[in-house]
Amino acid sequence: MMGRKYRRYYHRPPWWLKIRSMFAQLLLPLICFQFLRTLLFPTTFDVILLTLMFVLYCSLLLKLF
């Protein structure tokens, strides 16, 4: 019987996974800061920026990138 070939789950190089995890760790405090800034000084730019950062963070958690 032939041995099974296992495929890696991510199909990405290890350096990409490290950069992605570092970016996710950096993004969370930035989201908290931007949320507080949006509560204090709500502008359209702040709301859009917060939304984009939140969507990016969720996509990193769900491993879409």
Side-chain angles (χ1 to χ4, degrees):
M1 186 169 187
M2 303 247 332
R4 296 182 69 178
K5 291 185 179 180
Y6 292 100
R7 293 175 46 187
R8 290 186 357 204
Y9 178 73
Y10 289 112
H11 306 296
R12 303 271 190 238
W15 58 269
W16 172 254
L17 299 176
K18 185 182 278 190
I19 290 174
R20 190 183 73 187
S21 67
M22 288 171 44
F23 188 65
Q25 289 177 357
L26 180 67
L27 199 57
L28 186 60
L30 289 175
I31 289 173
C32 294
F33 174 75
Q34 187 64 33
F35 178 70
L36 291 175
R37 180 184 154 104
T38 304
L39 287 178
L40 295 175
F41 308 110
T43 63
T44 305
F45 177 73
D46 288 330
V47 173
I48 291 172
L49 184 62
L50 180 64
T51 305
L52 288 175
M53 289 189 338
F54 182 72
V55 167
L56 181 63
Y57 184 73
C58 288
S59 66
L60 286 173
L61 287 181
L62 294 174
K63 299 176 183 161
L64 296 177
F65 288 113

